[in-house]
């Protein structure tokens, strides 16, 4: 018989640790899962900070050794919210220990890593989820429902941007170190790649340019460190369906805070969404009457995705609710109460997104169009570290 609670072991208590813990608390208030969640153990690096965050986020205990969280017999789900260099090692250890795993994006530092994660997940038979949380914004969920229902006709264009400005003043940290992060803006903003796949389908080929505008940064100790990833990229490409792809992502766009936008133009209509206008979808649907131009839809009606859990019409939701919606489906799947929602990105989606990330990087490096299926790297991080120890 299953224990009454689902115990969660969380690795990482930074930005994402706070967002996921917040969601797990909130879910119990709005849509209680079949088996309630218990925040069992939090793993971090620094003892004082981890202890403080465990108390603040409501964890029963804490550790500075993630292996303890993974080995804990009571833990059923490991939430891997650590920097990218811990995604494969922690997730694979957790799956091998029989845990279900939720891992932040990008799934791996390269497609070789994410492929190994996918294989471990499939072998384990456990629930595996890659946290492409924007799929769970109600307006985005409505967008994907409309596209799938054919309401804009066959998609012919997908264009997206993810622009921020923190890159100009950030100190050197893991985000700027290829060994720890894999890629820079390409993988960091893998959300737009996932959204392209989610809304339009598989991407067949890409061409791209990348740039590193600040090649050296001081770390917290004031030492100059070389930046080994890109600050920004632009890419174009083609989907297997023949639709065209256009992406632009940057950490260096002054004034842009979290300017994530996408637009899908179909044969008969268009859908557009912006993260900073979270609750609104701009639509022009096939059956809209003349004059045919965008309508603003405030996605807060009870019949809209996830809205039946929340407030009266017009009482808007926020970014943090994407994690609440994502966790709801994961917990029901772990409890055996329902299959994992089709909307949920799995490790397969994480791997496929990482193939596109790698293809963009290679296209920019080689100055040529690259087929996504050719993006399995010859040298994965596993190979590199083996060479390192040889
Ligand atoms: N889904 C999203 O919207 C989104 C947004 C931001 C970041 N992310 C992803 O989430 C992950 C974490 O990003 P973040 O912004 O929260 O990073 P962060 O730097 O704010 O936090 C990282 C956490 O990992 C912990 N950590 C580092 N090494 C550890 C170790 N050896 N053992 C245990 N804990 C360790 C740190 O103590 C810290 O708590 C990254 O993969 C990132 O790409 C996703």
């Amino acid at each position: 018989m299953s224990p009454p609670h689902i115990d969660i072991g969380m690795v990482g208590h930074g930005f994402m640790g706070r967002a996921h813990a917040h969601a797990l608390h909130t879910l119990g208030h709005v849509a209680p899962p079949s088996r309630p969640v218990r925040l069992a153990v939090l793993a971090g690096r620094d003892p004082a900070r981890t202890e403080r965050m465990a108390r603040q986020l409501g964890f029963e205990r804490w550790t500075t050794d993630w292996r303890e969280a993974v080995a804990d017999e009571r833990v059923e789900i490991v939430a891997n919210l650590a920097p990218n260099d811990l995604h494969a090692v922690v997730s694979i250890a957790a799956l091998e220990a029989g845990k279900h795993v939720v891992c932040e994006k990008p799934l791996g530092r390269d497609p070789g890593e994410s492929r190994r994660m996918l294989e471990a997940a499939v072998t384990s038979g456990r629930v595996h989820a890659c946290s492409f949380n924007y799929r769970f914004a109600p307006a985005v969920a409505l967008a994907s429902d409309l596209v799938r229902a054919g309401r804009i006709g066959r998609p012919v264009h997908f264009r997206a941007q993810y622009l921020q400005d923190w890159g100009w003043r950030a100190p050197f940290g893991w985000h700027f170190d290829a060994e720890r992060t894999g890629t820079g803006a390409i993988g960091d903003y893998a959300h737009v790649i996932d959204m392209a796949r989610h809304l339009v389908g598989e991407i067949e080929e890409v061409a791209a340019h990348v740039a590193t505008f600040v090649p050296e940064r001081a770390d917290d100790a004031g030492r100059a460190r070389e930046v080994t990833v890109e600050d920004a990229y632009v890419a174009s490409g083609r989907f297997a369906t023949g639709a065209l792809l256009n992406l632009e992502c940057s950490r260096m766009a002054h004034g842009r805070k979290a300017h994530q936008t996408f637009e899908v133009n179909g044969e008969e209509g268009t859908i557009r969404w912006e993260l900073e206008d979270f609750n609104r979808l701009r639509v022009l649907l096939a059956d809209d009457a003349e004059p045919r131009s965008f309508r603003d839809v405030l996605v807060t009606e009870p019949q809209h995705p996830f809205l039946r859990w929340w407030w009266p019409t017009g009482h808007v939701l926020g970014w943090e609710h994407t994690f609440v919606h994502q966790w709801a489906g994961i917990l029901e799947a772990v409890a055996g109460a329902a299959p994992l929602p089709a909307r949920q990105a799995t490790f397969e989606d994480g791997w496929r997104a990482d193939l596109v990330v790698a293809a963009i990087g290679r296209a920019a490096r080689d100055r040529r169009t690259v087929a996504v299926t050719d993006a399995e790297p010859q040298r994965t991080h596993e190979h590199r570290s083996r060479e390192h120890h040889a």
Side-chain angles (χ1 to χ4, degrees):
M1 215 178 80
S2 303
H5 291 91
I6 296 180
D7 277 20
I8 310 273
M10 193 173 279
V11 183
H13 50 70
F15 177 24
M16 280 305 103
R18 291 171 54 231
H20 284 257
H22 175 272
L24 288 164
H25 286 296
T26 306
L27 183 60
H29 305 160
V30 294
S34 314
R35 282 170 60 210
V37 161
R38 202 159 51 187
L39 300 186
V41 52
L42 179 66
R45 256 177 326 178
D46 172 69
R49 279 203 65 204
T50 309
E51 194 262 327
R52 181 166 53 80
M53 289 309 292
R55 219 171 339 106
Q56 190 173 317
L57 299 178
F59 280 83
E60 290 188 346
R61 51 191 190 289
W62 58 273
T63 172
T64 51
D65 181 359
W66 62 260
R67 287 172 189 80
E68 258 181 48
V70 162
D72 188 316
E73 274 185 8
R74 284 180 299 168
V75 165
E76 274 188 74
I77 306 179
V78 169
N80 185 355
L81 317 177
N84 304 353
D85 55 332
L86 288 179
H87 286 187
V89 65
V90 173
S91 297
I92 292 172
L95 290 160
E96 286 176 352
K99 315 300 185 192
H100 308 280
V101 177
V102 176
C103 184
E104 263 306 334
K105 48 51 60 179
L107 190 62
R109 285 173 295 179
D110 59 44
E113 263 192 353
S114 45
R115 175 87 215 185
R116 287 194 294 117
M117 295 168 76
L118 171 60
E119 283 164 4
V122 170
T123 304
S124 74
R126 300 294 161 177
V127 172
H128 48 99
C130 182
S131 183
F132 283 122
N133 54 301
Y134 292 104
R135 292 182 179 208
F136 292 87
V140 173
L142 178 60
S144 80
D145 292 350
L146 291 170
V147 172
R148 272 161 227 274
R151 300 287 300 280
I152 62 165
R154 180 173 64 101
V156 295
H157 287 286
F158 176 91
R159 69 184 65 81
Q161 291 182 319
Y162 204 142
L163 305 176
Q164 296 188 298
D165 63 4
W166 57 269
W168 285 111
R169 56 195 179 282
F172 186 88
W174 65 264
H175 289 98
F176 297 103
D177 178 355
E179 199 49 46
R180 296 203 64 198
T181 182
T183 62
I186 311 173
D188 228 8
Y189 300 118
H191 290 294
V192 297
I193 293 169
D194 177 66
M195 200 58 73
R197 291 189 56 253
H198 185 52
L199 293 177
V200 179
E202 295 307 335
I203 297 163
E204 200 166 72
E205 60 181 22
V206 289
H209 292 278
V210 300
T212 304
F213 299 114
V214 179
E216 200 177 85
R217 291 167 187 271
D219 64 17
D220 284 337
R223 278 174 307 162
R225 303 283 301 273
E226 187 195 353
V227 172
T228 49
V229 294
E230 71 290 345
D231 289 325
Y233 78 91
V234 291
S236 60
R238 202 172 42 191
F239 292 85
T241 59
L244 296 180
L245 170 79
N246 189 333
L247 304 176
E248 180 188 18
C249 296
S250 178
R251 304 159 163 177
M252 315 295 279
H254 273 306
R256 297 299 191 181
K257 302 304 171 185
H259 182 77
Q260 181 186 176
T261 68
F262 68 74
E263 180 167 307
V264 190
N265 308 123
E267 272 180 317
E268 295 174 275
T270 287
I271 286 187
R272 178 178 177 78
W273 180 74
E274 301 185 11
L275 169 56
E276 291 172 350
D277 197 0
F278 184 83
N279 294 273
R280 202 173 292 277
L281 199 62
R282 289 184 171 77
V283 300
L284 170 60
L285 300 180
D287 45 8
D288 279 354
E290 297 291 344
R292 285 177 45 79
S293 63
F294 281 123
R295 284 185 287 135
D296 276 355
V297 180
L298 187 62
V299 187
T300 60
E301 297 297 323
Q303 68 269 30
H304 287 147
F306 308 109
L307 263 300
R308 71 196 146 82
W309 297 346
W310 296 101
W311 321 121
T313 308
H315 293 68
V316 289
L317 301 193
W319 169 86
E320 69 275 27
H321 298 110
T322 59
F323 297 93
V324 180
H325 305 155
Q326 177 169 251
W327 271 105
I330 292 167
L331 290 169
E332 291 312 272
V334 167
L340 194 67
R343 220 182 280 290
Q344 177 63 54
T346 63
F347 278 20
E348 174 161 0
D349 293 295
W351 166 61
R352 291 192 183 280
D354 284 349
L355 281 173
V356 180
V357 169
I360 290 172
R362 184 179 291 183
R365 218 169 31 245
D366 296 355
R367 294 177 180 267
R368 65 180 175 90
T369 299
V370 168
V372 171
T373 46
D374 289 345
E376 286 279 14
Q378 284 103 36
R379 283 159 53 84
T380 65
H381 279 86
E382 184 195 24
H383 296 139
R384 259 179 244 159
S385 57
R386 273 207 224 112
E387 282 164 16
H388 204 63
H389 290 113

